Amino acid sequence: MMSDLSEEAKIITEALEFHADEHGRRRGEGLQSGRSSASSIDDKRVSKGIELPPVQKSNIMIDPLPISKEKEKVLTRTRPSWLPPKDQKEEKRHLREYKQMMAQSRESEKRKAARAVSAKCEKDRTREALQEIWDAHVYPSWDAALGEGRTRELWWRGVPPRSRGATWERAIGNELALTEETYKKALHRAKEVRSAPDSDTGESHKRMREWFDVIDADVSRAFPDLHIFQEGGPLRETLVDVLQAYSMYRSDVGYITGLHTIAALLVLQFPSPASAFLAMANALNRPLPVAFLTLDRGAVNRTYTLAAATLRYKFPRVATHLYETLRLSHEEIWEPMFRSMLTNGLDLERISRVWDCWVFEGDRIMIRAAVAILGCLQTQLDGFTQPDDRSRIAVRDILGWGPRDVGTKSKEHRHSAPASSTGGFGGGQLAHAGEADYWILDSAGDEDGFMHQVREAGKVRD
């Protein structure tokens, strides 16, 4: 009887009893038609494809003796063989409840899948409508359109992926007056250095070769879920060429880790390596990125101060936790983010959306986005409560170059962006090809929810 069972056994019993009714009905039909019960039904399946739990046979670790024929007759699907036999009416009732629970679960999954399909269709329709607005009203009258407030709402909703490269190119501009020939000359110089004999031991060539070695290692870590920049990937050599050319063009900077993800983002959006290089050179000539590339301490410290003040205003608990509890420095918190322009931890869709706004509105967007990221990570960061080296290293890894799932319950959230159509050199649909170590920003929802958080990070409370 139920009173003889442990609490765990009761739960198992109540969860699984449902299927006995169906089994009994089919068995009765089989006997009436002259068929044996063994051949009349499949004991593991019932109507609607719900799988029955197996009959609870003996567990050799608990009950090593063979089951007698008498005991075999009273075995059920919902009670272990070593417990007292269950009343058949009770088993039928429990299995009936189990079937209802399973049917409700299946219906819930169907509704969830239908909502996901509906949301995707709605997003596709929205993108098509936005593309039409950009094509009809923004691109033909660019200068006038940029001065309108409603145009600002367009880039906050996301530049259409099909036109993102061309839009970024116009928004970034070409203040440096670079040409495709600039790229070709810089790349040619890189090829010469790389192909020079080992006997050429000049300090300049040695330093450049060191840059190239780091580039070769770093490109494999650029958006690894896409599998296009890794060994054998279709855009690996393109990314290497762009990075080598940039290191030659900015030989005062050379190459530093963080440029690889910036260049990868641009290669994905632009139609050729040369256009990606030109956009990269002009984009990184803006005040915030150039300060971190050239180690302009004054400008870097001003950026840290503004970012910290914004964080304290919007997320005081996070600021207190990072600066006072864990005693992290400005550099430990912010430097990887700003050096890489947030490409160190945002997935492709979210970083593209942030850059949609940055190319138009400037460096304040990067500061707001960095603060929003820390706000989204608050729960994860709060898990490191001890001001010891272990906690500090874990948080530095989360905010820097990973791993970023430290302190989370699972790795289910380590995903990339949804497939998105681009008109860049990569071309076509970029679907999920694997998993990568991105920031876990589930608290903000999808990319639209995240951009709402970025926007809120720049607002002052009334």
Side-chain angles (χ1 to χ4, degrees):
M1 303 303 291
M2 286 290 287
S3 59
D4 299 324
L5 301 179
S6 66
E7 186 65 26
E8 181 179 359
K10 288 179 182 178
I11 293 173
I12 296 174
T13 299
E14 291 173 358
L16 299 176
E17 188 184 0
F18 158 75
H19 298 285
D21 270 346
E22 186 72 15
H23 175 72
R25 182 182 67 77
R26 291 193 175 192
R27 182 175 182 180
E29 290 175 355
L31 289 174
Q32 289 175 6
S33 61
R35 296 176 294 170
S36 68
S37 60
S39 61
S40 64
I41 63 170
D42 178 3
D43 283 340
K44 295 183 178 179
R45 298 273 179 188
V46 293
S47 62
K48 297 184 180 180
I50 297 177
E51 187 173 353
L52 289 173
V55 173
Q56 299 293 308
K57 297 283 179 77
S58 176
N59 185 321
I60 194 171
M61 300 299 295
I62 300 175
D63 188 9
L65 298 177
I67 298 177
S68 65
K69 291 184 178 180
E70 291 78 8
K71 187 173 184 178
E72 190 171 3
K73 292 179 181 179
V74 296
L75 291 178
T76 63
R77 297 179 185 276
T78 62
R79 178 167 294 178
S81 62
W82 58 88
L83 294 176
K86 179 187 285 191
D87 180 77
Q88 287 300 310
K89 290 183 178 180
E90 187 180 19
E91 168 127 340
K92 290 177 182 180
R93 178 169 60 83
H94 288 166
L95 288 175
R96 185 164 54 249
E97 293 170 355
Y98 172 75
K99 184 176 182 180
Q100 293 171 351
M101 179 180 68
M102 292 298 293
Q104 291 172 357
S105 176
R106 288 190 173 187
E107 286 301 315
S108 176
E109 288 299 318
K110 288 179 182 179
R111 289 194 295 270
K112 184 178 179 181
R115 286 195 299 268
V117 171
S118 177
K120 185 179 184 304
C121 291
E122 181 64 27
K123 181 175 289 188
D124 290 342
R125 286 193 294 270
T126 300
R127 283 181 172 175
E128 290 174 4
L130 290 174
Q131 180 74 63
E132 292 177 1
I133 295 173
W134 281 89
D135 290 341
H137 303 288
V138 180
Y139 299 134
S141 53
W142 180 263
D143 293 333
L146 293 188
E148 299 177 2
R150 58 183 180 179
T151 307
R152 183 173 186 264
E153 295 302 316
L154 289 177
W155 63 67
W156 273 98
R157 296 186 68 178
V159 174
R162 190 174 65 199
S163 306
R164 184 167 273 148
T167 305
W168 286 8
E169 183 177 25
R170 295 184 72 172
I172 292 171
N174 189 12
E175 189 178 60
L176 299 174
L178 304 179
T179 64
E180 186 173 345
E181 191 64 25
T182 309
Y183 168 72
K184 291 180 178 179
K185 288 180 178 180
L187 181 60
H188 179 71
R189 172 63 176 152
K191 300 293 186 185
E192 285 185 337
V193 171
R194 193 145 202 176
S195 62
D198 294 337
S199 58
D200 187 348
T201 56
E203 286 300 318
S204 176
H205 277 210
K206 182 179 179 181
R207 185 175 69 256
M208 292 174 185
R209 287 179 177 179
E210 290 173 353
W211 296 341
F212 298 158
D213 290 341
V214 179
I215 288 172
D216 288 339
D218 279 352
V219 292
S220 295
R221 294 191 284 270
F223 299 107
D225 50 325
L226 302 181
H227 293 314
I228 54 180
F229 298 119
Q230 291 62 49
E231 289 288 346
L235 293 181
R236 178 182 177 84
E237 291 307 315
T238 300
L239 180 55
V240 169
D241 287 349
V242 171
L243 289 169
Q244 289 183 356
Y246 184 79
S247 68
M248 294 292 99
Y249 169 71
R250 287 301 304 261
S251 57
D252 58 323
V253 173
Y255 175 79
I256 59 174
T257 295
L259 293 177
H260 65 297
T261 43
I262 295 173
L265 173 64
L266 295 169
V267 165
L268 289 170
Q269 308 297 344
F270 282 78
S272 68
S275 60
F277 166 83
L278 298 182
M280 180 175 178
N282 281 282
L284 296 185
N285 199 48
R286 291 184 170 191
L288 189 150
V290 81
F292 282 84
L293 288 177
T294 60
L295 299 179
D296 181 342
R297 289 299 176 188
V300 166
N301 288 334
R302 287 192 294 273
T303 302
Y304 288 156
T305 300
L306 179 56
T310 307
L311 181 66
R312 288 192 177 95
Y313 180 74
K314 301 301 294 189
F315 301 103
R317 276 184 52 195
V318 178
T320 299
H321 184 63
L322 294 177
Y323 283 108
E324 298 178 20
T325 302
L326 298 179
R327 303 191 192 98
L328 295 177
S329 66
H330 284 320
E331 186 173 356
E332 290 172 314
I333 297 170
W334 305 108
E335 195 273 341
M337 290 184 177
F338 293 137
R339 170 163 42 109
S340 66
M341 301 299 285
L342 303 184
T343 60
N344 64 315
L346 285 178
D347 59 71
L348 180 58
E349 186 65 25
R350 288 185 175 91
I351 190 60
S352 297
R353 291 288 299 274
V354 171
W355 276 53
D356 285 344
C357 298
W358 175 68
V359 295
F360 287 104
E361 299 190 25
D363 294 335
R364 60 179 177 166
I365 296 297
M366 285 295 160
I367 294 175
R368 291 163 66 171
V371 169
I373 289 166
L374 292 183
C376 294
L377 295 175
Q378 178 171 332
T379 301
Q380 184 181 4
L381 299 177
D382 282 347
F384 302 94
T385 58
Q386 300 300 318
D388 53 22
D389 289 342
R390 182 177 180 182
S391 294
R392 281 190 286 268
I393 291 172
V395 171
R396 286 203 305 265
D397 288 344
I398 292 170
L399 301 181
W401 295 96
R404 296 189 180 83
D405 64 329
V406 181
T408 60
K409 294 182 179 179
S410 72
K411 297 186 179 181
E412 293 178 1
H413 304 293
R414 298 176 68 184
H415 58 278
S416 177
S420 62
S421 177
T422 73
F425 193 68
Q429 286 286 107
L430 297 176
H432 287 250
E435 293 185 346
D437 191 15
Y438 298 114
W439 283 312
I440 302 170
L441 306 176
D442 293 353
S443 62
D446 61 8
E447 62 273 13
D448 291 323
F450 172 69
M451 290 308 296
H452 174 73
Q453 294 298 319
V454 173
R455 200 163 195 172
E456 288 296 312
K459 292 182 178 179
V460 178
R461 303 186 191 98
D462 295 332

